[in-house]
Amino acid sequence: MSDAFITETELDGAEDGVLAGKTIAIKDNISTEGVRTTCGSAMLEDYVPPYDATVVERVHEAGATIVGKANMDEFGMGTTTETSFVGPTDNPAAPGHVPGGSSGGSAAAVAAGDADLALGSDTGGSIRCPAAFCGVVGIKPTYGLVSRYGLIAYANSLEQIGPLAPTVSEAASLLDVIAGPDDRDATTRADPGEGSYADAADGSVDGMTIGVPTQLVEGADKGVREAFESAIESLEAQGATTTEVDLPSVEQAVEAYYVIAMSEASSNLARYDGVRYGHKSDADGNWNESFAQTRSEGFGEEVKRRILLGTYALSAGYHDKYYAKAQQARDWIKQDFDRVLAEVDVLASPTMPVPPFELGESLDDPLALYLADANTVPVNLADLPAISVPAGETDGLPVGLQLVGPAFGERTIISAASALE
Amino acid sequence: MTAQTVQQGELVTVIGLEVHVQLETETKIFCGCSTGDADEPNEHVCPVCLGLPGALPVVNEAAVEAAVKIGKAIDAEIPQETRFHRKNYYYPDLPKNFQITQYDEPICQSGELEVRVEGERRPIEIERAHLEEDPGSLQHVGGGGGIDSAEYTLIDYNRAGTPLMEIVTAPDFRSPAEVRAFLAELEEVLEYLGVFDAERDGSLRVDANLSIVEAAEADENGELSTEALESANRTEVKNISSHKGAEKALAYEETRQKNAIQRGRVVEQETRHWDESRGITVSMRSKAEEKDYRYFEEADIPPLQVAHWREEIEIPELPRARRERFREEYALDEEAASKLTSTKQVADFYEDLASEFDPDLAATWVADELLGELNYRDMAITELEDRLDEVARLVELVATDEITAKNAKEIVLRTMLDEGAAPDAIVEAEGLGKTDEGEVQAAVEAAIADNPDAVADYAEGDDGAINFLVGQVMQATGGSADPGTVNQLLRAELDD
């Protein structure tokens, strides 16, 4: 069995449809009726949802066959897929290295050919990071484009489900299938644009203005930067104009992101108390002791760290200092992106400032890992769409290029990204 | 603040309320599950109201509409935009271990409801009213019966997600009796709006804050300053579920606090539980143990734009306005108008009758006869919902002189209520159809002929003799003659 999957499945979709004959991997935080959905956590090791997520219904109707529930960092909290309760997934594009995270299993399944396509989720880079590390394409849609109904929440104001695929056009086709309003998710909105996303993958970047935020390039690893710069040169050669832009707000993005994400997580993960589903401690005790013991046994270290920090950030006396301040930073980041995206068509940067870590290398330094999210988290804070597309290698390790567009600018970033293939 | 004169040296009772009312909607506030009665525990549940991973809340517009109606009825401000927050705490009746509620942008702000106590009308300020979801219900089995001491606890999530409106008043009450009057008025208004079912178990739950303030703190107008109100230690009394219960619980708490103060003891700032069966309040937790709910915005529900709803949603005429109109339009006294507007159904029924028959007759029949007989049987008019046309037919029989008022009430109405029969069938079976005029006239003449003594007494001015003769005629006609008519006919004969 491929180590990309927590659970292998064979769930056939409709006989005809745009994805007929295609196999797909589903990240294990997306609910599948009758198939256990663990979120990479011992807490949900035996949890079998009684319903399908909206995106699962949509890929079924489009004819795809679900071949597995993909490995992930526990509850999406990680950048390496190493915090999963089943252990890590190797990177098929760079064996011995992590596949990135948290949707590492989804990216690895596509890179290894275990599935034609995959669905991941992206709260602060969890689709784009593994896409970059495994040398595949990943799209984080505009907040509200894809229904989150059935997506097990980590930080609900930030996350979106999105596609991973070997090519831009395949990823765009999958986005066509899953996008669109859903009565069961009140935050979904109709894309005002016209035409399919797949048709936007036309390889054309001619006449486009690409902004390069200095803040998102200068901190990157030298080899990553070289690969990024040669990709930019290729886009220029195809008729794009590039210009440096200033995005000062992103300096605060990592801090703001972690305060908001952890705060939301502390609330979203409160429901795992062993009463209705999921792990339940055998220890004796009253209600307080019992649920505390259940949570202490069921959650891994990184999850506990984020719940505790998030609880702290929302507490009386700290709420204004941390949570409220992070929301202000978020507003500033949104305005900053709106401002530069009024001047350029898309923004480009390395997806990750570093190449894939070796397996086990980064486990003991959470802060270093959080900083690796510097280029991806601002996009979630701004609710914008972004794509990661392969942009060469450094020392044999994949490098990804990130393109960010305005709200519902998926067609523009898809078009520009396809010019790099 | 309300103006109420207080005497120096006196202790003044200050009470504020948080009233939770279940809104009567077909489905729950954030999912499509029924809010109706269930045969089994955990029957009306789905991934959303069970808080299953990945399920998302979607606001039921009917609940928002009900909230806007309440807002209009209490003259509240309904903002341009309202939003939901999460209130975080762990309790097994709460499927997500947070409650979706409203925090700093509630749907109704600064309203008012007038109460009438001992003939005096006073406005009670309503600081806010907001929407939230009801938790499930717990049943503690064995052991000490509480969550920490029971052998085990059963959870039923049928109730989880039922829409609730929490109505928060200013500390404007000065007596438990005022609280009771307010709750009765509030319930009447909610029923008029059609958003509340008082009959449903647990549909009204009250938390009350009570403190005792030295009257010396009052200013020359007898008003208490905010500082005076805040400096007094108060207790929050929980688990009140009826008007009567509220009055009893608060009277107990008022006495307990006054006794403490008079004995020089400090009233602890704490939460207390009303034990209905023992008739006392008991300490639950001190203020220091108050939870930090870590409120923050519920991002799964975008802010609702509600300002235009205020214009679009109409509410019916409310009890107070209708009472006043009834007094004027139908020339009713205060008591009759009050009885006839006690519920919307009663008032609607009365107006139907008053449009067809004499409003006075209709008032007597609804306010006295019908409500009296129902009250005697401990029945509500709602139980007669499908048979109001039968009651109307009975009034018609009286109005058109087909049966006597006495028979209509004492035989037909009572038989209708006790046996479920229709009025015409009862009239037929009991032979109550009014005798024709010739027959009554014959009986009158016969009574005069057969009772010369009574006739003589009458002639001598004994007016009581006429009653004897009326009785004779009634007996002869089997009670089907109208006593008033008989009286007139007798006098006509005798006075000739």
Side-chain angles (χ1 to χ4, degrees), chain A residues 47 50-51 148 150-151 156-157 183 185-187 267-268 270-273 275-277 287 291 295 311 315-316 319 323, chain B residues 47 50-56 58 86 88 90-92 95-98 155 157 292 294-296 298-300 302:
Chain A
Y47 169 66
Y51 73 103
R148 289 179 294 114
L151 170 66
N156 51 313
S157 83
D183 288 343
D185 176 356
T187 64
S267 175
N268 286 325
R271 69 190 68 195
Y272 306 106
D273 57 15
V275 171
R276 293 157 296 274
Y277 46 79
W287 149 250
F291 90 73
R295 290 167 67 78
T311 304
S315 296
H319 184 283
Y323 181 76
Chain B
L50 278 180
L52 291 191
L56 296 171
V58 176
R86 291 183 182 181
N88 294 285
Y90 286 87
Y91 213 65
K96 303 180 291 292
N97 284 317
F98 61 78
I155 314 178
Y157 292 110
D292 173 7
R294 306 190 308 280
Y295 284 98
F296 74 107
E298 171 53 281
D300 289 334

Side-chain angles (χ1 to χ4, degrees), chain A residues 182-231:
Chain A
D182 177 13
D183 288 343
R184 291 169 294 188
D185 176 356
T187 64
T188 52
R189 290 174 294 163
D191 180 348
E194 281 177 23
S196 79
Y197 303 116
D199 287 347
D202 55 5
S204 160
V205 76
D206 192 16
M208 216 179 269
T209 311
I210 300 173
V212 180
T214 45
Q215 287 89 350
L216 299 184
V217 180
E218 56 199 14
D221 195 271
K222 184 164 172 280
V224 170
R225 222 155 85 183
E226 283 167 7
F228 170 72
E229 274 154 13
S230 70

Side-chain angles (χ1 to χ4, degrees), chain A residues 49-397:
Chain A
Y51 73 103
D52 273 332
T54 298
V55 292
V56 169
E57 284 179 4
R58 289 183 181 175
V59 298
H60 262 305
E61 283 159 19
T65 298
I66 298 173
V67 291
K69 298 302 295 287
N71 200 12
M72 57 182 284
D73 282 298
E74 186 178 2
F75 282 99
M77 299 178 185
T79 312
T80 66
T81 307
E82 292 171 296
T83 66
S84 167
F85 81 116
V86 298
T89 292
D90 199 6
N91 184 334
H97 291 76
V98 302
S102 65
S103 312
S106 298
V110 170
D114 292 333
D116 298 322
L117 305 163
L119 287 180
S121 68
D122 190 314
T123 311
S126 284
I127 288 173
R128 290 159 287 158
C129 161
F133 280 7
C134 292
V136 301
V137 175
I139 301 173
K140 182 260 155 190
T142 305
Y143 189 81
L145 180 66
V146 178
S147 169
R148 289 179 294 114
Y149 188 76
L151 170 66
I152 300 181
Y154 153 30
N156 51 313
S157 83
L158 295 162
E159 55 211 8
Q160 276 287 289
I161 293 171
L164 293 108
T167 65
V168 173
S169 95
E170 286 165 288
S173 298
L174 180 51
L175 185 59
D176 278 318
V177 169
I178 61 173
D182 177 13
D183 288 343
R184 291 169 294 188
D185 176 356
T187 64
T188 52
R189 290 174 294 163
D191 180 348
E194 281 177 23
S196 79
Y197 303 116
D199 287 347
D202 55 5
S204 160
V205 76
D206 192 16
M208 216 179 269
T209 311
I210 300 173
V212 180
T214 45
Q215 287 89 350
L216 299 184
V217 180
E218 56 199 14
D221 195 271
K222 184 164 172 280
V224 170
R225 222 155 85 183
E226 283 167 7
F228 170 72
E229 274 154 13
S230 70
I232 290 292
E233 280 163 23
S234 154
L235 293 173
E236 284 172 335
Q238 295 178 65
T241 314
T242 60
T243 172
E244 281 195 4
V245 296
D246 190 30
L247 263 181
S249 65
V250 301
E251 307 277 1
Q252 302 204 351
V254 171
E255 285 158 280
Y257 168 79
Y258 276 99
V259 169
I260 292 170
M262 289 174 182
S263 297
E264 291 181 8
S266 73
S267 175
N268 286 325
L269 272 64
R271 69 190 68 195
Y272 306 106
D273 57 15
V275 171
R276 293 157 296 274
Y277 46 79
H279 175 73
K280 178 167 174 32
S281 172
D282 292 329
D284 281 337
N286 65 24
W287 149 250
N288 269 307
E289 292 155 357
S290 152
F291 90 73
Q293 190 58 32
T294 290
R295 290 167 67 78
S296 151
E297 291 169 7
F299 290 138
E301 288 309 305
E302 184 60 28
V303 171
K304 287 180 196 165
R305 181 179 4 255
R306 295 193 191 193
I307 291 173
L308 287 172
L309 289 169
T311 304
Y312 178 79
L314 285 175
S315 296
Y318 300 97
H319 184 283
D320 289 350
K321 191 171 165 191
Y322 295 108
Y323 181 76
K325 208 155 204 174
Q327 293 294 355
Q328 285 167 11
R330 184 175 188 174
D331 287 342
W332 181 30
I333 290 162
K334 280 183 189 177
Q335 289 162 16
D336 217 13
F337 270 96
D338 285 349
R339 179 182 54 78
V340 296
L341 283 167
E343 291 158 19
V344 299
D345 296 312
V346 295
L347 297 170
S349 73
T351 306
M352 298 297 289
V354 290
F357 313 105
E358 285 178 28
L359 281 165
E361 177 190 340
S362 59
L363 277 182
D364 297 327
D365 191 354
L367 197 59
L369 272 184
Y370 295 172
L371 290 171
D373 297 337
N375 289 3
T376 50
V377 296
V379 179
N380 299 76
L381 290 167
D383 298 336
L384 298 176
I387 188 168
S388 179
V389 60
E393 294 184 339
T394 170
D395 293 333
L397 300 170

